[in-house]
Amino acid sequence: MDAAVKVAADVHVGTPPGPLSDWVMRKVHFHGFAGLPTTRNESVYSPEFSCFGRQWMMAIYPGGHKDSKEGYISTFIANRSAVSIQADYKIVLKHPTDRTKRTFQAKSDDNMLTFGGEGQ
């Protein structure tokens, strides 16, 4: 029987940057990373998920995207809804069991980015 995982609410101190009144965080887990394909430009996609009234999807290229440096991975977030949205984002890659191992972060550098809707 699988153990239940309890998620507590995040606590924010101060006002988040940008015009958004509140941050929303969605965790997307790519389990079994070591077993994912390492061929360049081969991706693994998350299922679509909802955030800010839009549908989103994450993609990871464990062997790197076609323009990546050798030995690098690539990650992408895509707005799958018909309407574009401006949003800040942050992608954090962590070791699944050892928090002392190096993590990687990519973010929107405190600038709102426009995520175009599908078909735009």
Side-chain angles (χ1 to χ4, degrees):
M1 184 166 146
D2 293 333
V5 176
K6 295 180 182 180
V7 178
D10 291 339
V11 176
H12 297 275
V13 178
T15 304
L20 301 177
S21 62
D22 199 7
W23 285 88
V24 174
M25 181 173 60
R26 292 287 185 254
K27 291 183 179 181
V28 178
H29 298 268
F30 286 88
H31 298 285
F33 186 83
L36 296 179
T38 57
T39 304
R40 180 177 292 278
N41 212 35
E42 190 170 336
S43 59
V44 177
Y45 295 94
S46 74
E48 286 189 10
F49 56 93
S50 180
C51 189
F52 290 120
R54 305 292 193 276
Q55 290 300 113
W56 301 86
M57 184 180 64
M58 291 287 305
I60 188 167
Y61 292 74
H65 192 254
K66 63 184 177 184
D67 298 324
S68 300
K69 292 182 182 178
E70 187 66 35
Y72 283 67
I73 69 163
S74 296
T75 61
F76 294 90
I77 184 167
N79 174 13
R80 305 288 290 173
S81 300
V83 179
S84 64
I85 186 173
Q86 283 194 324
D88 285 322
Y89 73 91
K90 184 178 195 178
I91 298 172
V92 179
L93 303 175
K94 296 181 180 181
H95 191 278
T97 58
D98 189 347
R99 299 281 183 192
T100 65
K101 297 230 181 198
R102 186 175 167 184
T103 62
F104 171 80
Q105 295 185 24
K107 60 182 184 170
S108 58
D109 296 325
D110 297 327
N111 295 319
M112 299 287 273
L113 295 179
T114 299
F115 290 87
E118 273 200 356
Q120 289 187 345

